[in-house]
Structures are given as structure tokens and as C-alpha cells.
Amino acid sequence: MLWSLFKILVFVAAVVALAFGARWLLSVSGEVLITFAGSEYVLSPIMVILGLLVLMLALWIVFKLVGLLISVLRFINGDDTAISRYFDRNRERKGYEALSESLIALASGESREAAAKAQKAEKYLQKPEVTDVLVAQAAEAAGERQTATDAYKRLVTRDRTRFVGVRGLMRQKLEEGDTATAMKLAEKAFALKPRHVETQDTLLRLQARDENWEGARKVLSAKLKSGALPKDVYKRREAVLSLADAREALAKGEASKARAEALEANRLSPELIPAAVLAARMHIESGEKRRATKVLKAAWQKTHHPDLAAAFADIEPGETPSARIKRFEPFLKLDPEAPESRLLNAELHLAAEDFPGARRALGKLAETHPTARSLSLMAAIERGEGASEAIVRGWLAKALGASRGPQWVCDNCGTVHGSWVPVCTSCEAFDSLSWTEPRQSETTVEALPSEVVPLLVGPSRNEVVAPVPPSAVAEHDPSPEPAPPEPVVDAEPAPDEKRKVSVEDADEVVTLPAGESPPAPQDEAPTTGGTSRM
């Protein structure tokens, strides 16, 4: 807008200057004497100026005629395009000027002007393999999708520009959400240029989203051959694909294929936790306990994950809590100071009802790195050692607003997942989940107001204590009475029998497991449900 106004002002100023100049020349007195071939010519100043302009025009016409004459002579000598090139030279000059102006406008963000200049260049140059690319990009920047689509379709019809057209149409379909068509276009673009990195990444993401693991393997191999993917990253992603195949085979009941794929995934990437867990369980099912132990220890040295501990516990499912503590000692000694090691050790001692040992195992973790799990463990320890309900409720109140600890978090978008998956459920990124602690705001509730905490800490009727996190290795139910001579442990109920509590009109109705006698009536009977399992 400002540039157009500036050009108008310049034009008006030039006209005014010419008018004043002509008026000044007419008012100037004097003559110009020219002698030529013995004759004298007397001219006024204005006639001299007009004569110079006419002479310049005549010289320009002479140069053009000389150029045309040279083109005719070349045509006579056998150059069939000499005359056409002579007449097209001016059009090419204008076309390339429009082309350069369109590129400059596109780089400057002036999409409308870039589109107009691109169409002008297309008119003069008549070279669609050059101008269609610019027309499509300028139209996309200006929001003219149909014009861009038409330009990309024209590009597809020519061998030289087919990849550019297919890629442009693929991007449009992705923006529209038409992933099925985008997949076909991505496969076509990959066939045209297998080494194109953007096409490789797009096709891999779409194939992983559709669980086309075989196609994803081909793309990974192409990325490795083109040098776009480091060898270690390739092995990790190949392991992810093998793990996905193993899970799919397991769901179909193909046990032998699932075992082979799981072991291959663990071989390619021993630190991949889900692969290590699945491979260990395959070894356990076949009675290869030593191999299962080796696999789990190798993965634990890289990442401390509760699923590894759960699989390690399943190696000997029928052992007593004290025997399990002893068997876990070499496992925990790999990194005894790690937070997960301390939590696991505390849960093992809780399962054995060794509450002082659980406190020693947990250490100051509830203070230095408070999480919902560590604070819940402290509540269970306090309850087991006979602390008052106010202290137990205090720990549980802290657990409500604490971090949930490490979880499966997408490195690309930050989405938290309950379990590991090969493709993020939010951004659909492939192999983007890491076992890490997300930001506090993403995983915890808002901090409790100070006036609410006394309501949680104070004694109440029909209280229910939150269960111990499910990482311990046995079930226990310590008595709420302080310091009994011998702890009383409730018999473990059958899997299909559960304790049910309902309150109707202030009357408490309790359904007990079969074979258990009801407790004697009393004024206040708090229910303790400290339960932990591996």
C-alpha cells in the first residue's frame, strides 16, 4: 500500500518537473547555430531537445533492425529457432523478472503478490516445470488451496516434477486429515525418492499408526542405507517393531512367533523395558529361570522400572516374603541408592511385616523425593508400627498432592501414558515414550488448601486407608491395635471373594469372606486396608 502510494507521488512529481522544464525552455531566449555540409541551421533550445530525443529513438530502431537482420541470416544458415528466439527474448526477460519478483515476495511473506507475479511469469515464460512449483507454493501461502492443488496435479503429469507434485498433494491430505490418501501418496513419493528424509519420516509415522510393521521395517532400512539414521537408533526402533510384532502374535495365540520376536527385540535393545519384561516372561514359561534373571538384571542396570521387579518376582511365585527378600538382595545391590530400589526394598519388608526394616529401606526418600508412592508407603509403615490415625492420615494427605513419580511420557508432546505403546496416542509419534517423571502440573492435583488438611488428618468414623502401592510381593493386614505381642494376619481371601462395605442410614453393613467370624461389637471400628502385591 505504501509502496503504491510512493510510486504515484513519484509519477506526479516527474510530470510536474517536465511541465516546469518545458515552460522554462520555451521562455529561454537565444538560438543554437548548427553548421552541416556548408549549411547553417538555427534552432531554438526546445527544438534541440526534441531533436536529441528523436535521434535516440532512431538509434534504438537501428539496433533492433540490425538484431533482426542477424537473426534472419542465422535462420537462412540453418538455425530454425533464430527468429523465434529473437522475438521471445523480450518475453523471457519479462518472465524472469516476474519470476524473481515472485520469489522475493514469497520470501518476504507477501503471498498475494507472489501469486500474482508467479502467474505473470507463467504467462511470459511458458515453462510450467518452473512456474507451476512457484504458483503452487504462492497459492498455498495465500490460502488458495484449489489453485495449489491444480498446480500440483500439473506437476504430477511430468516426469521431472512428479515427486514435487506428489509430495505437495501428500502434505495437503495430511493437513485435511485424510490419512488414507496421504498414506498412498507417501508410498508413491517413497518409491520415487527412497532417500528423501521427510518422506521417510512421514511414511514411517503413518505406517506405525496403522500398525503396518512390515512396511515400517522397509522404511527403517532405507533410512539406515541413506545415512539418515544412526546405527544405534536403527537397532532401537527395529526392536520396537519386533516387540510390536510379538504383542500382535501373542494376541493371536501364535506363541512360537511371539517368543521369537520378543527375544529378538530384547537382543537388539536390552534396555527396552517392555521387551525385557516380555522376553523374561517367555523364559519363565519355558523354565529358563537363569536366562530370565540375566535379562531382567541387564535391563535394571539401565532403567529402574517396577515392571522389571514384578517379572523378577514371578520367577519364584510361591516363595515366602522372607525368602523373596533374600532373593532380591543381589538384584537390589545393582543400584541400592536408586529411588526405585529403595521403594521396592521397602515394599518387600512391608510384605514380610518387617515395619522397622521397611523404614530403614525407605530412608529419607519421603522427604528428599516425595511421591504418592513413597508417602503411601510411609503411611503403611506408620500404621504397621501402631502410630495414631492422625499421623497416618497426615501422610496420606501429603500423598494426595504429591507427584506420581516416573511414568511413560511422550518426548514429543509430553502426554502421559499408563503403559508403554510404540506410537503416542496423542501426537502419533513413533518410539517417543520415555520412563521419566513428568512436570508436576501434568500428574498431580492442585495443592490442598490448609483448611482442608485438618479434615483429612482428624479422626472420623468408617475411615478407609488407601492401599499400599501394588509393587510389594505379598498381602498383609496388620492389626490396628498398638504394639500387639504377636501380629495377627487375616487369611487371604479367595480371588472371587471381596470385602464389601456399604452405609445405609448410618448403619454399617459388612460382608465378610467365607469362613470368617464377625468381630465383636464396639463403639468405633476403623477399617484398615493396607494391601500390597507384586
Side-chain angles (χ1 to χ4, degrees), residues 249-250 253-263 282:
L250 202 60
E254 301 174 357
S256 58
K257 181 181 178 181
R259 175 183 172 84
E261 293 290 350
L263 297 182
M282 292 295 178

Side-chain angles (χ1 to χ4, degrees), residues 233-285:
V233 178
Y234 167 77
K235 293 178 67 177
R236 157 81 183 196
R237 294 187 175 177
E238 183 70 22
V240 171
L241 294 176
S242 296
L243 177 59
D245 273 338
R247 287 183 168 185
E248 185 176 332
L250 202 60
K252 294 179 180 179
E254 301 174 357
S256 58
K257 181 181 178 181
R259 175 183 172 84
E261 293 290 350
L263 297 182
E264 177 66 11
N266 181 248
R267 184 189 68 82
L268 291 171
S269 182
E271 68 277 4
L272 184 59
I273 295 171
V277 171
L278 186 56
R281 294 193 184 281
M282 292 295 178
H283 286 309
I284 293 172
E285 289 179 2

Side-chain angles (χ1 to χ4, degrees), residues 497-518:
E497 296 177 341
K498 298 181 180 178
R499 184 183 301 270
K500 300 179 181 178
V501 179
S502 61
V503 179
E504 299 177 0
D505 300 330
D507 294 331
E508 185 175 8
V509 179
V510 180
T511 302
L512 298 175
E516 184 175 339
S517 59

Side-chain angles (χ1 to χ4, degrees), residues 48-381:
V48 173
I49 297 299
L50 292 175
L52 291 174
L53 293 176
V54 170
L55 179 61
M56 292 175 63
L57 179 61
L59 289 174
W60 180 79
I61 293 174
V62 168
F63 283 131
K64 288 292 182 181
L65 290 175
V66 170
L68 177 60
L69 180 60
I70 293 173
S71 298
V72 171
L73 292 175
R74 288 180 176 175
F75 178 78
I76 294 172
N77 289 332
D79 190 351
D80 296 336
T81 61
I83 297 178
S84 62
R85 288 203 313 271
Y86 173 78
F87 288 106
D88 291 342
R89 192 174 301 160
N90 189 39
R91 294 173 59 87
E92 287 185 356
R93 180 181 59 79
K94 292 181 179 180
Y96 283 117
E97 285 180 358
L99 187 66
S100 61
E101 290 174 358
S102 178
L103 289 171
I104 293 172
L106 188 62
S108 303
E110 300 174 353
S111 55
R112 299 282 182 183
E113 184 176 354
K117 294 294 183 181
Q119 293 177 354
K120 183 179 179 181
E122 183 180 14
K123 175 184 176 182
Y124 282 116
L125 290 178
Q126 298 296 322
K127 292 183 177 180
E129 67 275 5
V130 176
T131 56
D132 279 345
V133 177
L134 189 58
V135 168
Q137 292 183 350
E140 275 192 339
E144 301 173 358
R145 296 188 63 84
Q146 188 57 46
T147 303
T149 302
D150 294 339
Y152 283 132
K153 288 181 178 179
R154 291 195 299 270
L155 290 170
V156 172
T157 59
R158 292 182 290 272
D159 294 338
R160 188 178 179 183
T161 58
R162 181 168 290 117
F163 174 78
V164 179
V166 172
R167 175 178 173 271
L169 293 173
M170 177 189 69
R171 292 175 59 187
Q172 283 189 333
K173 294 302 179 182
L174 286 174
E175 292 175 0
E176 294 172 2
D178 187 0
T179 54
T181 306
M183 169 75 81
K184 296 179 181 178
L185 291 170
E187 291 174 349
K188 181 66 175 178
F190 180 72
L192 292 172
K193 281 192 175 182
R195 292 178 176 269
H196 192 262
V197 177
E198 181 190 11
T199 303
Q200 293 172 346
D201 294 339
T202 302
L203 182 57
L204 179 62
R205 179 169 60 85
L206 292 174
Q207 289 174 334
R209 175 183 174 274
D210 292 345
E211 298 184 358
N212 182 6
W213 312 124
E214 188 62 31
R217 276 194 170 93
K218 295 179 181 178
V219 177
L220 278 180
S221 299
K223 288 176 70 69
L224 181 65
K225 292 178 181 178
S226 63
L229 195 67
K231 187 67 177 291
D232 56 338
V233 178
Y234 167 77
K235 293 178 67 177
R236 157 81 183 196
R237 294 187 175 177
E238 183 70 22
V240 171
L241 294 176
S242 296
L243 177 59
D245 273 338
R247 287 183 168 185
E248 185 176 332
L250 202 60
K252 294 179 180 179
E254 301 174 357
S256 58
K257 181 181 178 181
R259 175 183 172 84
E261 293 290 350
L263 297 182
E264 177 66 11
N266 181 248
R267 184 189 68 82
L268 291 171
S269 182
E271 68 277 4
L272 184 59
I273 295 171
V277 171
L278 186 56
R281 294 193 184 281
M282 292 295 178
H283 286 309
I284 293 172
E285 289 179 2
S286 60
E288 300 171 331
K289 297 182 178 181
R290 288 189 176 181
R291 290 188 177 182
T293 302
K294 183 179 179 181
V295 167
L296 294 173
K297 284 185 176 181
W300 183 267
Q301 288 177 335
K302 297 290 184 179
T303 306
H304 311 303
H305 194 281
D307 286 352
L308 298 174
F312 190 78
D314 289 341
I315 296 176
E316 297 291 345
E319 63 187 347
T320 62
S322 58
R324 181 159 291 179
I325 292 175
K326 185 176 181 180
R327 187 170 64 86
F328 262 83
E329 287 180 357
F331 189 80
L332 295 174
K333 284 182 179 179
L334 295 174
D335 192 358
E337 299 300 323
E340 182 63 32
S341 297
R342 287 188 171 276
L343 292 170
L344 176 59
N345 198 11
E347 290 171 351
L348 291 169
H349 284 82
L350 274 177
E353 299 184 7
D354 180 7
F355 303 110
R359 184 184 293 274
R360 289 193 301 271
L362 192 62
K364 296 183 178 180
L365 191 61
E367 301 173 3
T368 58
H369 189 200
T371 62
R373 186 176 169 195
S374 63
L375 295 171
S376 297
L377 285 174
M378 280 302 304
I381 293 171

